[in-house]
Amino acid sequence: GENVEQHPSTLSVQEGDSAVIKCTYSDSASNYFPWYKQELGKRPQLIIDIRSNVGEKKDQRIAVTLNKTAKHFSLHITETQPEDSAVYFCAARGLTGGGNKLTFGTGTQLKVEL
Amino acid sequence: NAGVTQTPKFQVLKTGQSMTLQCAQDMNHEYMSWYRQDPGMGLRLIHYSVGAGITDQGEVPNGYNVSRSTTEDFPLRLLSAAPSQTSVYFCASSATGTDNFGNTIYFGEGSWLTVV
């Protein structure tokens, strides 16, 4: 099955700096890669996603890039703010077994310091 | 439109007890799933369903049963609770979509389960 690795596990940045979180996946047939943000005690919420037919996608301060050849994708947050502090999860949707199954990375704890 | 609703939010069980976590969605989504979240391990898929009457195992199915008698409901049953099942459980749903790409998965608020 699909295997997703996520790095780093913790990331501390100064307010206003950029943050980058990287993920690799194993199944070359995976075609959908969402990123979720989870605040303490809350549910994961989608912040951005990218399909395999696109190399980059932006939404204001957030961008995701996908390199299908290398099987890795990254989340970029620019001009970080304290409210960006949370755990971020990457995920990949494989095509085996049917449905909309997501395999998640182990998460990155992002801390934005004042 | 309530989205994905899970109950209960908190539960303490004794080892060997059984219980059911309820999940309902009002978005007419075909796909529903259950994940468990443990520290340092992300979210792991327990069971999923692509439509009423159809269920399948995910990554960590042992000790859990599911059924999908209606489109709206997808309960998760713990057959004989064990301390290893102490976790946060999330129900999720999504539309199947009209193309071959994935669709946004919406999560419920989570159920905190402690087995003592």
Side-chain angles (χ1 to χ4, degrees), chain B residues 9-60:
Chain B
K9 194 170 179 69
F10 300 99
Q11 182 73 48
V12 178
L13 282 179
K14 293 182 178 180
T15 297
Q17 286 185 318
S18 61
M19 77 157 297
T20 299
L21 298 177
Q22 302 291 344
C23 176
Q25 52 89 12
D26 61 359
M27 298 175 281
N28 202 31
H29 285 167
E30 300 90 346
Y31 183 80
M32 296 187 73
S33 55
W34 278 100
Y35 288 86
R36 61 177 288 174
Q37 184 173 30
D38 303 293
M41 301 189 74
L43 294 115
R44 293 182 293 168
L45 183 65
I46 304 171
H47 285 285
Y48 67 98
S49 169
V50 298
I54 306 169
T55 64
D56 207 346
Q57 296 181 350
E59 182 185 356
V60 287

